Amino acid sequence: MSLFSEARAVIAGGVNSPVRAFAGVGGEPVFFKKAHGSWVETEEGRRLIDYVGSWGPMIHGHTHPEVIKVVCDTAADGLSFGAPCVLETAIANKITALMPSIEKVRMVSSGTEATMSAIRLARGHTGRDKIVKFEGCYHGHSDSLLIKAGSGALTLGVPSSPGVPAGLAEHTITLSFNDNEAVRAAFRELGGEIACIIVEPIAGNMNFVPPADGFLETLREECDRAGSILIFDEVMTGFRVAKGGAQAVYGVHPDLTTLGKIVGGGMPAAAFGGRAEIMRSIAPDGPVYQAGTLSGNPVAMAAGLKTLELLDTEDFYDRLGRRTRALVDGLKSIADDRNIPLAVEQEGGMFGFVFTADGPVRRFEQIAAADIERFRRFFHGMLTEGVYLAPSAFEAGFVSAAHSGEDIDRTLAAAEKVMATL
Ligand code: KE4
């Protein structure tokens, strides 16, 4: 019986998060035994160069010694108190220093909790029910955000999962990412009813789709005009694409930001925060309720704080960006040499590649029309060659500070071999 069969016997779907089940690429998922630096080791004893990094948190590579040390030292004095500790104030000060649009913050335990809370805060602060999101963006699995576009642009939302009441779905408007006119039309028609826009400033859940020129500015303008709250979901891009996140790259500041992944350094921690005037509406200061038993627990705070301290250096993102650029430029060059249509994107330590001749990719439709079968063959070929990519054509990839030039060279050598078979 395989490890996956054993897991399936007792865990729903055999995994504790669906994307891990390899449904996007076929075959049985790889079981990891340990991980250090840029590599993971499977239960079969194979070492793979890892470009998933636990879906983003491991920006310093796995088991960075200083992160492990603070986790062990902190844990030795208590795993969780359910009472304030100074580590919470320390990481809050670090987050607000790195992302100045965040004047006040609230720690939570997952990105889903962060976005769910931010949506409730926007609704409670504005007294409005409607929210705007974008097709192809993922913000975790809270009910109001598991909604796909209705038949027409302004048709109120349709649940993308059973279990979401239609009465709730109808308050979510789903528009096309990078479609300024659709945003303007929605605000012309419903602006006064819209509590917030939530957007991934770089859409990392439909591979890697950057904002088109003027898109984020349009969201800012429309929210300002209508008195709606602009939420940047930087759970993935926060501290990944730049020290100050995507908002620092594009120079557009949201009213609220959600964070996750890197902010916990691999431990369960996430956050939402923004303008103090809005955050004052959150309990216990204000009436919008939000709470969590393990929110701000010392071990997760210690891991997150050390992770943020280690990336807060002069040249951290220059080095990380150069290494990531070398990877995607290499992939593009190999594909071009073989006349394989490939579009690539990179920002900081985040990258994407899409087997399509219709690049650059700026719309969900382009990803949906890409050659998914070719991606699946590439994924399994690279896995055979010792390289672990995200097991889905709709995910972004991540390079860590632990990835060496040799890792990139070995990855490109593997790609050279695999692309010859595509
Ligand atoms: P979590 O609840 O998984 O911590 O965060 C949800 C979330 C919110 N916002 C963005 C932009 C996100 O990317 C995520 C989670 N990302 C996925 C992968 N793209 C996590 C992997 C998984 O679902 O297992």
Side-chain angles (χ1 to χ4, degrees):
M1 183 185 248
S2 73
L3 293 175
F4 192 44
S5 302
E6 287 176 22
R8 287 180 62 84
V10 71
I11 299 171
V15 290
N16 286 308
S17 199
V19 71
R20 306 177 190 171
F22 271 32
V25 290
E28 292 208 344
V30 180
F31 277 63
F32 291 179
K33 183 177 189 176
K34 55 181 157 180
H36 294 291
S38 60
W39 54 266
V40 291
E41 185 170 313
T42 71
E43 283 293 340
E44 291 77 41
R46 291 189 67 212
R47 274 197 182 187
L48 309 170
I49 302 173
D50 177 22
Y51 288 101
V52 179
S54 183
W55 301 98
M58 313 321 292
I59 193 162
H60 300 301
H62 293 283
T63 64
H64 187 290
E66 291 185 58
V67 176
I68 298 302
K69 181 172 184 333
V70 291
V71 165
C72 295
D73 291 351
T74 307
D77 287 335
L79 296 178
S80 183
F81 305 133
C85 70
V86 294
L87 275 168
E88 294 169 274
T89 311
I91 196 171
N93 281 321
K94 194 67 180 173
I95 290 168
T96 54
L98 292 173
M99 279 194 182
S101 75
I102 301 178
E103 296 170 345
K104 284 209 167 181
V105 69
R106 169 62 60 86
M107 302 307 296
V108 295
S109 297
S110 73
T112 291
E113 206 182 341
T115 57
M116 175 181 70
S117 305
I119 295 289
R120 183 182 312 128
L121 172 57
R123 285 171 157 157
H125 187 76
T126 61
R128 302 174 182 179
D129 291 340
K130 296 214 172 355
I131 66 171
V132 172
K133 67 179 285 287
F134 295 91
E135 188 170 26
C137 288
Y138 173 70
H139 305 289
H141 59 88
S142 64
D143 284 352
S144 282
L145 293 167
L146 285 182
I147 308 294
K148 60 189 178 210
S151 51
L154 283 186
T155 307
L156 300 182
V158 172
S160 58
S161 163
V164 177
L168 183 62
E170 69 183 32
H171 294 299
T172 300
I173 299 160
T174 301
L175 303 176
S176 297
F177 188 77
N178 277 333
D179 185 342
N180 294 351
E181 192 34 51
V183 174
R184 295 199 189 285
F187 274 81
R188 268 196 306 274
E189 177 134 358
L190 297 166
E193 300 175 50
I194 295 173
C196 65
I197 293 176
I198 185 166
V199 67
E200 291 183 67
I202 295 174
N205 285 283
M206 48 170 157
N207 201 283
F208 182 124
V209 182
D213 291 347
F215 178 60
L216 298 179
E217 291 78 358
T218 298
L219 304 186
R220 180 68 277 168
E221 279 163 31
E222 291 301 323
C223 282
D224 288 343
R225 185 176 300 125
S228 305
I229 289 174
L230 179 56
I231 303 173
F232 275 9
D233 178 358
E234 295 224 43
V235 165
M236 185 185 293
T237 55
F239 316 115
R240 167 57 62 181
V241 297
K243 193 180 292 186
Q247 55 196 267
V249 174
Y250 297 102
V252 175
H253 291 159
D255 302 303
L256 293 177
T257 299
T258 54
L259 299 168
K261 298 179 191 282
I262 290 171
V263 83
M267 298 297 287
F272 66 98
R275 285 199 286 120
E277 174 244 333
I278 300 174
M279 292 300 286
R280 266 193 287 278
S281 290
I282 280 283
D285 281 349
V288 179
Y289 197 68
Q290 191 281 334
T293 301
L294 296 178
S295 298
N297 80 79
V299 181
M301 296 303 99
L305 179 59
K306 178 54 71 178
T307 296
L308 297 183
E309 287 169 348
L310 287 169
L311 58 77
D312 188 10
T313 68
E314 198 57 43
D315 65 347
F316 182 85
Y317 288 90
D318 290 344
R319 282 187 289 112
L320 186 63
R322 277 199 303 277
R323 188 128 299 159
T324 312
R325 191 77 242 172
L327 173 67
V328 295
D329 285 350
L331 290 174
K332 179 67 178 158
S333 165
I334 293 166
D336 287 352
D337 288 350
R338 278 169 177 62
N339 296 316
I340 294 175
L342 186 76
V344 298
E345 295 285 351
Q346 171 268 335
E347 190 70 50
M350 185 170 157
F351 68 93
F353 61 90
V354 182
F355 288 104
T356 179
D358 182 23
V361 175
R362 294 292 179 270
R363 289 293 178 94
F364 176 73
E365 297 74 28
Q366 292 174 275
I367 292 282
D371 191 340
I372 308 296
E373 268 316 303
R374 181 168 254 174
F375 170 79
R376 287 187 178 130
R377 295 196 299 274
F378 184 67
F379 171 84
H380 282 289
M382 292 296 274
L383 186 57
T384 302
E385 294 299 321
V387 176
Y388 188 70
L389 300 168
S392 162
F394 294 90
E395 295 287 350
F398 305 105
V399 173
S400 82
H403 283 76
S404 64
E406 188 202 345
D407 289 327
I408 303 301
D409 292 344
R410 282 175 52 208
T411 303
L412 295 177
E416 190 93 49
K417 195 172 169 186
V418 176
M419 284 209 197
T421 69
L422 290 186

